Amino acid sequence: MVLSGYCDADWAGDPNTRRSTTGYVVFLGSNPISWSSKKQASVSRSSTEAEYRALAHCAADISWIRQVLCDLHMIVPEAPLLHSDNLSTLALNANPVFHSRIKHLDVDFHFIRERVQSKDLIVQYVPTDEQVADILTKGLHSPIFIKHCSNLSLGSPPAELEGGC
């Protein structure tokens, strides 16, 4: 009963509105049980802001899932692990001195920080090539697309992708 999540954002990825796309996937054990890919409601002024919003959305979903499991008398013994490939978002969690630089993200900051401090959530770095949420935020080259399809238990990719294009 290990609950974990991967979140990512494609900063200013929409060429028309410059809004970012949030993508996340939540796993129970090795099974994906919740995922989302959605354009963010407002334009982010930095990649850190976009990634932090994605982190907050995934953290909220994990908290909700954990509560549902608790209501079903299924205890998650360890704090869920949330993976992000953005070092700046991890620095915000670790060092409250940076808080003054992101006052426009105040609610998201306090939501995540509170859960990290109470040990209800652990936020950890994951290298970009291991970031399975990438498949939900941007187009990927064939080898990494196939890898993430496998990580998400989506079955075999189309035959034209198997050979590398």
Side-chain angles (χ1 to χ4, degrees), residues 8-23:
D8 194 32
D10 181 22
W11 179 49
D14 186 317
N16 297 318
T17 64
R18 287 301 175 200
R19 290 191 182 173
S20 305
T21 302
T22 289

Side-chain angles (χ1 to χ4, degrees), residues 135 140-165:
I135 200 167
L140 301 171
H141 292 288
S142 177
I144 197 78
F145 178 80
I146 291 168
K147 176 182 176 182
H148 290 330
C149 281
S150 174
N151 290 340
L152 291 170
S153 304
L154 294 176
S156 300
E160 61 270 9
L161 292 179
E162 297 257 356
C165 282

Side-chain angles (χ1 to χ4, degrees), residues 47-88:
S47 61
T48 300
E49 182 178 338
E51 294 275 355
Y52 211 81
R53 284 191 176 138
L55 193 74
H57 286 291
C58 189
D61 202 39
I62 285 175
S63 293
W64 179 80
I65 290 168
R66 194 171 191 195
Q67 186 59 53
V68 168
L69 291 172
C70 184
D71 290 346
L72 296 171
H73 304 288
M74 301 176 75
I75 305 302
V76 178
E78 299 173 10
L81 188 58
L82 182 51
H83 299 90
S84 173
D85 63 358
N86 187 285
L87 293 173
S88 297

